[in-house]
């Protein structure tokens, strides 16, 4: 009863503090009054996550890339108050170790990759990486990573991730995953020109003071608004 009484007292105090609207006499024995209604917005708190890193393996002689199995890589939504949409995916070259794709170059032409296929400019190799969003609205949505042209899902094939369910007291929230799979039959590289250098780049070399460096990174733009 105490909490209920406090609520009533607070409501009464708010009502007393609000200015009363003036009544307009219409001259007909009745009056009108208006109360303006303002709408504020409670901002959604987004909690999303992606894997810390991702490794692909290119054969030295060129050919199919070894990629994660379906359902392993993706984006997780841990927000319990809202669903989210992936509105953009960008492949961004490592500015220090692979500026402008000088070493590993992303291509969208299958004729530039494959067994014993020579690279035509990259210091190490060409890469073709084709991914798929199997849970896109309207059906699976495939896309090829391109450093110059980001992938932007359309409204009718939105990449929507439902909101997570609130966890019980003391338990962790179980996120909702939106998988992003690799098309194994389409992901490939050309001949790797200098395999030892490629391994030093990806794994580092403590003796030479070389830290591991990614070839590129995947950047996601995630909002609560449908594309």
């Amino acid at each position: 009863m105490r909490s209920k009484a406090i609520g009533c007292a607070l409501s009464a105090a708010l009502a007393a503090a609000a200015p009363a609207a003036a009544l307009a006499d219409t001259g007909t024995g009745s009056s009108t009054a208006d109360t303006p209604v303002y709408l504020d917005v409670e901002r959604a708190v987004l909690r999303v996550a992606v894997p810390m890193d991702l490794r692909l393996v290119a054969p030295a002689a060129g050919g199919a890339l070894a990629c994660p199995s379906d359902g392993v890589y993706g984006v997780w939504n841990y927000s319990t108050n809202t669903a989210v949409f992936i509105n953009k995916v960008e492949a961004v070259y490592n500015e220090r170790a692979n500026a402008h794709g000088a070493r590993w170059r992303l291509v969208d032409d299958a004729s530039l990759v494959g067994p014993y296929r020579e690279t035509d400019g990259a210091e190490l190799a060409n890469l073709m990486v084709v991914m798929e969003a199997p849970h896109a609205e309207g059906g699976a949505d495939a896309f090829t990573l391109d450093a110059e042209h980001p992938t932007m899902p359309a409204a009718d094939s939105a990449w929507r991730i439902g909101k997570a369910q609130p966890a019980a007291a003391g338990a962790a929230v179980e996120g909702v995953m939106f998988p992003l799979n690799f098309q194994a039959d389409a992901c490939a590289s050309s001949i790797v020109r200098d395999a030892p250098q490629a391994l030093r780049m990806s794994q580092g070399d403590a003796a030479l003071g070389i830290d591991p460096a990614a070839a590129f990174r995947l950047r996601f733009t995630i909002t609560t608004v449908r594309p």
Side-chain angles (χ1 to χ4, degrees):
M1 292 300 293
R2 182 183 178 190
S3 61
K4 186 174 182 180
I6 291 175
C8 291
L10 178 59
S11 297
L14 290 173
L23 298 179
D25 188 348
T26 63
T28 62
S30 64
S31 299
T32 61
D34 295 337
T35 299
V37 178
Y38 299 89
L39 291 178
D40 292 331
V41 176
E42 180 182 2
R43 293 181 179 274
V45 178
L46 300 187
R47 295 181 58 218
V48 296
V50 296
M52 291 290 291
D53 55 39
L54 173 66
R55 287 189 178 272
L56 308 178
V57 181
L65 296 176
C67 304
S69 302
D70 289 355
V72 172
Y73 184 78
V75 179
W76 281 259
N77 182 19
Y78 289 92
S79 311
T80 58
N81 59 347
T82 184
V84 298
F85 294 89
I86 302 174
N87 284 355
K88 183 190 293 186
V89 182
E90 299 171 90
V92 183
Y93 287 129
N94 185 325
E95 295 179 358
R96 179 178 60 85
N98 191 38
H100 309 294
R103 292 180 173 176
W104 294 102
R105 184 173 63 130
L106 291 168
V107 299
D108 59 4
D109 184 348
S111 69
L112 299 177
V113 296
Y116 309 109
R117 177 73 63 182
E118 292 284 353
T119 181
D120 58 354
E123 184 178 329
L124 293 177
N126 295 332
L127 295 173
M128 185 169 179
V129 182
V130 183
M131 300 182 70
E132 182 179 76
H135 294 172
E137 295 181 0
D141 201 356
F143 59 102
T144 302
L145 295 184
D146 185 335
E148 297 181 1
H149 303 96
T151 298
M152 303 179 68
D156 59 354
S157 60
W159 298 3
R160 180 182 183 276
I161 316 176
K163 66 180 180 180
Q165 295 299 313
V173 173
E174 184 175 346
V176 177
M177 182 190 186
F178 186 88
L180 292 170
N181 299 333
F182 294 82
Q183 291 191 350
D185 59 346
C187 295
S189 76
S190 62
I191 293 174
V192 180
R193 287 180 167 179
D194 189 336
Q197 180 188 1
L199 287 173
R200 283 195 298 272
M201 177 177 167
S202 67
Q203 300 179 11
D205 189 323
L208 298 177
I210 300 174
D211 294 326
F216 61 92
R217 61 184 182 274
L218 294 177
R219 175 182 294 163
F220 298 92
T221 298
I222 299 172
T223 73
T224 58
V225 181
R226 180 181 290 272

